[in-house]
Amino acid sequence: MDTTRAETPEAAEKVGRDFIRDIIDEDLRTGKRTKVATRFPPEPNGYLHVGHAKSITLNFGIAQEYGGTCNLRFDDTNPTKEETEYVESIMEDVRWLGFEWTGLYYASDYYEKFYDYAIELISKGLAYVESLTAEEMREYRGTLTEPGKNSPYRDRSVEENLDLFKRMRAGEFEDGTHVLRAKIDMASPNLNMRDPALYRIRRAHHHRTGDAWCIYPMYDYAHPISDALEGITHSICTLEFEDHRPLYDWVLDNITIDCHPQQIEFARLNVGYMVTSKRKLLKLVTDRIVSGWDDPRMPTISGMRRRGYTPAAIRNFCTAVGTSKANGMVELGLLEHFVRDDLNKTAQRVMVVQRPLKVVLENYPEGQVEWFEAENNPEDPNAGTRKVPFSKVLYIERDDFMEVAPNKKYFRLAVGSEVRLKHAYYITCTEVLKDEAGDIVELRCTYDPESRGGGTPDGRVVRGTLHWVSAEHAVPTEIRLYETLFTEPTASDVETDLNPRSLEVLSEAKAEPSLKEAKAGDRFQFLRMGYYAMDPDSTGDRLVFNRTATLKDTWAKVGKQQ
Ligand code: ATP
Ligand code: MG
């Protein structure tokens, strides 16, 4: 972890320093570079996740800070796993995070150029057509401790290689029968430099180029060229590419191209309980363990969006965790901290009862309705107010009642005790009604008309304040509560590590009527309960909310919040 890591959004905004920015400062100071051009290069083989958010915040953030550019480039050189659906979701997610790309590119736009550069390498005697089988190639490659040996095809003439490579493109050979390899050094201590493959034959339909090609370039060959063609100055990637950097540089040193970006590696972002392997995320989707890529339990950007996380919270988190060379694991709690921090400032307060218990106010006039003025957000003076209806029959939270108060610190409702109803009156419980099974079905209470607005003439102190909803005006609501998908911070096996309680559905919830106006994606603080976002499954007469996060330390805050 970076030692400059910040713990709060305010500090996070100030951090913004790391070894990559130091390199850029130095490059600008010495004149090695006169501008800053970055790119975010996802492979469109899945939805973006929290790790990509880190890369996006870093690349786009640097471009913004230095008045430079940042491209969005789809690294679509692997035809079999890529789909247009992913391309579209990626664009949506980058924009939702608050960034706009300078140029939109696809590596597949450069296929013709990649081919021409391959011809150049062959012509210079720097690439050759390999005809060993994949298994033989593995044998020839050697190991970490033993050098590889040269293939018998390594010394083919330039003419023969040119002829074979053109025929590879023309579709004369079966898949897997030949590959184009760079001619570098079979004895290199870096295995990536032992004549790495540049092209393979693969008859596969590509989401953009269709069946135009049956040979596809390898990532390590296509990536540096794509960067250079776009004039990228700093090609930022994750640490696993460190050993590939010599190959990145070799490709650019040996072709005729006038830009040579600097590859800089940083440690991947790992967050506890958040799986960031696209393969594993895809499995969760295809095995129907989650409802889709945007299931609110998923660590995808679309999942976090549906859950109610805000772009600012995710960006602040990505900045706060810093950028370093050391692999580590960040606690999920830190991300939630930034989510709460942002929602506390921005989310409208409303009253929703999750597990309703009916309350009848015996001395409240039948048929009377009062509309109380309620503050929308005490943290935001501009948020205004709304009207909340009050009547004889109400719902309160089941958890806010116990027949007998367990101790003196119990400030919620019990028989004979008095509480304040937020925005309304003091009530006292007089009687409990139970069904045949002995379960509490209804409370009888009295209200004190003098306590309207929160106090009484005799100055009685009431310690507990409860939220409530008027039964007559309540909107039927479903609430989805989430926990982590996996049981341990680093667990990811869908067979053994799934948390069976990752989703709980409360189908009897009651919401105040103002929520009928809410739209999917709107975020709220349900007083005393937490932060919630309206789900697109909502309909006009049945609302659905996802719990984004609990209020930190709910119990401790009960008194303070009001
Ligand atoms: P996977 O291997 O699961 O398919 P990937 O890392 O290969 O994921 P890409 O689409 O190639 O996914 O990633 C696009 C960019 O995002 C790359 O530059 C990559 O380094 C970066 N990136 C991916 N995961 C993380 C992460 N966890 N932390 C930081 N950056 C990441
Ligand atoms: Mg990748």
Side-chain angles (χ1 to χ4, degrees):
M1 288 274 311
D2 194 324
T3 48
T4 55
R5 198 184 99 179
E7 296 292 343
T8 65
E10 292 70 35
E13 272 152 34
K14 288 191 204 116
V15 176
R17 296 304 317 166
D18 51 62
F19 76 100
I20 299 181
R21 285 162 168 98
D22 290 344
I23 292 173
I24 295 173
D25 284 347
E26 186 66 5
D27 287 351
L28 293 172
R29 195 185 60 78
T30 60
K32 178 179 171 194
R33 309 280 178 189
T34 52
K35 58 163 191 156
V36 174
T38 59
R39 84 289 173 266
F40 171 63
E43 187 179 349
N45 61 349
Y47 281 60
L48 298 182
H49 53 62
V50 65
H52 295 116
K54 169 72 206 171
S55 177
I56 291 168
T57 307
L58 185 61
N59 279 294
F60 284 91
I62 284 176
Q64 280 175 356
E65 278 162 52
Y66 289 90
T69 57
C70 182
N71 290 342
L72 173 60
R73 182 197 321 133
F74 290 102
D75 237 316
D76 56 351
T77 49
N78 185 359
T80 52
K81 293 191 200 146
E82 295 159 1
E83 285 174 32
T84 308
E85 176 198 345
Y86 298 140
V87 168
E88 281 159 9
S89 76
I90 288 169
M91 293 199 279
E92 185 186 353
D93 288 350
V94 172
R95 288 201 165 115
W96 178 79
L97 270 182
F99 298 105
E100 189 61 47
W101 44 87
T102 313
L104 176 66
Y105 298 100
Y106 295 82
S108 54
D109 288 341
Y110 309 136
Y111 278 173
E112 206 59 58
K113 295 219 165 82
F114 297 149
Y115 180 82
D116 291 344
Y117 284 122
I119 297 284
E120 181 181 347
L121 288 173
I122 297 170
S123 306
K124 290 174 168 170
L126 292 173
Y128 62 97
V129 173
E130 174 63 271
S131 306
L132 291 178
T133 64
E135 197 178 322
E136 287 165 333
M137 274 175 72
R138 257 193 303 281
E139 280 164 22
Y140 276 75
R141 185 169 295 128
T143 64
L144 280 172
T145 49
E146 280 167 50
K149 50 183 192 196
N150 289 350
S151 158
Y153 301 102
R154 199 174 196 264
D155 293 321
R156 278 175 161 150
S157 69
V158 167
E159 289 67 35
E160 188 184 0
N161 281 317
L162 283 173
D163 174 63
L164 285 170
F165 186 56
K166 285 176 185 164
R167 287 165 60 198
M168 278 170 64
R169 177 180 181 170
E172 289 187 25
F173 306 117
E174 298 283 305
D175 285 14
T177 50
H178 304 280
V179 288
L180 184 72
R181 296 180 79 171
K183 193 190 268 193
I184 307 179
D185 179 7
M186 287 305 291
S188 171
N190 181 342
L191 274 97
N192 295 300
M193 299 299 274
R194 293 187 188 169
D195 291 10
L198 304 178
Y199 266 94
R200 70 228 150 116
I201 307 174
R202 190 131 201 213
R203 281 173 183 75
H205 191 80
H206 187 276
H207 75 115
R208 295 188 81 239
T209 56
D211 299 313
W213 294 83
C214 65
I215 55 171
Y216 287 96
M218 304 301 288
Y219 176 88
D220 279 342
Y221 171 68
H223 200 84
I225 300 177
S226 305
D227 281 345
L229 288 171
E230 291 172 22
I232 302 302
T233 54
H234 299 87
S235 175
I236 300 168
C237 64
T238 38
L239 227 46
E240 69 271 23
F241 291 102
E242 196 165 27
D243 290 346
H244 299 237
R245 189 178 349 121
L247 179 53
Y248 184 102
D249 290 330
W250 182 92
V251 170
L252 296 179
D253 284 340
N254 288 292
I255 60 174
T256 310
I257 200 158
D258 55 12
C259 171
H260 194 133
Q262 178 179 357
Q263 177 178 304
I264 306 172
E265 311 85 14
F266 72 100
R268 292 177 89 89
L269 171 63
N270 298 307
V271 185
Y273 298 101
M274 293 182 118
V275 169
T276 52
S277 149
K278 278 187 264 184
R279 186 176 47 78
K280 289 178 182 165
L281 294 174
L282 180 63
K283 185 164 166 60
L284 289 168
V285 174
T286 50
D287 287 4
R288 297 184 179 274
I289 289 161
V290 295
S291 62
W293 286 96
D294 68 345
D295 185 300
R297 291 166 291 177
M298 290 283 271
T300 51
I301 294 179
S302 52
M304 293 189 282
R305 171 167 64 230
R306 188 163 175 183
R307 181 158 175 159
Y309 287 17
T310 62
I314 297 171
R315 289 195 309 264
N316 289 338
F317 167 73
C318 289
T319 305
V321 298
T323 305
S324 80
K325 283 265 187 195
N327 277 313
M329 165 85 62
V330 178
E331 278 182 29
L332 180 56
L334 188 66
L335 174 54
E336 289 183 344
H337 161 82
F338 285 98
V339 170
R340 287 193 185 98
D341 198 85
D342 191 31
L343 289 175
N344 181 43
K345 289 183 216 140
T346 55
Q348 180 178 330
R349 274 56 171 170
V350 290
M351 293 198 288
V352 176
V353 172
Q354 296 202 143
R355 298 177 177 89
L357 175 58
K358 193 170 163 190
V359 169
V360 176
L361 301 178
E362 294 188 297
N363 59 338
Y364 194 84
E366 192 80 46
Q368 176 171 307
V369 177
E370 287 177 89
W371 291 82
F372 289 108
E373 190 95 10
E375 239 181 334
N376 284 337
N377 185 352
E379 301 286 321
D380 176 3
N382 300 318
T385 59
R386 68 189 188 288
K387 299 264 198 217
V388 185
F390 185 86
S391 64
K392 186 178 178 74
V393 183
L394 311 168
Y395 293 113
I396 64 164
E397 209 67 61
R398 246 171 210 282
D399 289 350
D400 281 336
F401 177 77
M402 284 180 94
E403 212 170 340
V404 180
N407 57 49
K408 288 202 178 107
K409 293 207 166 133
Y410 184 81
F411 299 131
R412 305 186 204 189
L413 196 59
V415 177
S417 82
E418 187 171 39
V419 294
R420 176 195 289 120
L421 294 183
K422 179 77 178 169
H423 305 305
Y425 295 104
Y426 290 7
I427 61 166
T428 303
C429 180
T430 52
E431 194 187 347
V432 180
L433 306 188
K434 296 182 182 171
D435 62 13
E436 282 153 19
D439 292 328
I440 299 170
V441 289
E442 190 179 310
L443 304 181
R444 293 294 161 94
C445 298
T446 56
Y447 86 111
D448 178 357
E450 302 268 316
S451 65
R452 194 188 155 119
T456 57
D458 64 9
R460 259 180 2 256
V461 179
V462 169
R463 303 292 291 270
T465 302
L466 309 187
H467 62 281
W468 50 273
V469 171
S470 162
E472 180 191 340
H473 305 88
V475 191
T477 296
E478 171 179 319
I479 293 180
R480 300 175 183 167
L481 304 178
Y482 301 104
E483 283 184 24
T484 54
L485 264 177
F486 295 99
T487 50
E488 299 287 332
T490 53
S492 63
D493 189 324
V494 299
E495 308 297 334
T496 56
D497 304 334
L498 282 177
N499 173 7
R501 284 180 299 281
S502 62
L503 169 64
E504 183 184 355
V505 177
L506 304 177
S507 51
E508 303 290 323
K510 307 287 182 188
E512 66 167 71
S514 74
L515 282 169
K516 271 193 265 189
E517 314 304 324
K519 299 184 302 296
D522 286 355
R523 307 179 187 93
F524 299 91
Q525 184 192 101
F526 292 179
L527 278 188
R528 300 177 60 241
M529 303 309 288
Y531 296 102
Y532 297 74
M534 186 178 257
D535 192 86
D537 288 347
S538 286
T539 60
D541 43 34
R542 184 173 172 79
L543 311 180
V544 179
F545 283 94
N546 299 309
R547 184 168 70 192
T548 312
T550 53
L551 290 176
K552 201 171 171 183
D553 213 356
T554 315
W555 173 244
K557 276 202 165 178
V558 168
K560 271 190 254 161
Q561 255 211 359
Q562 316 303 332

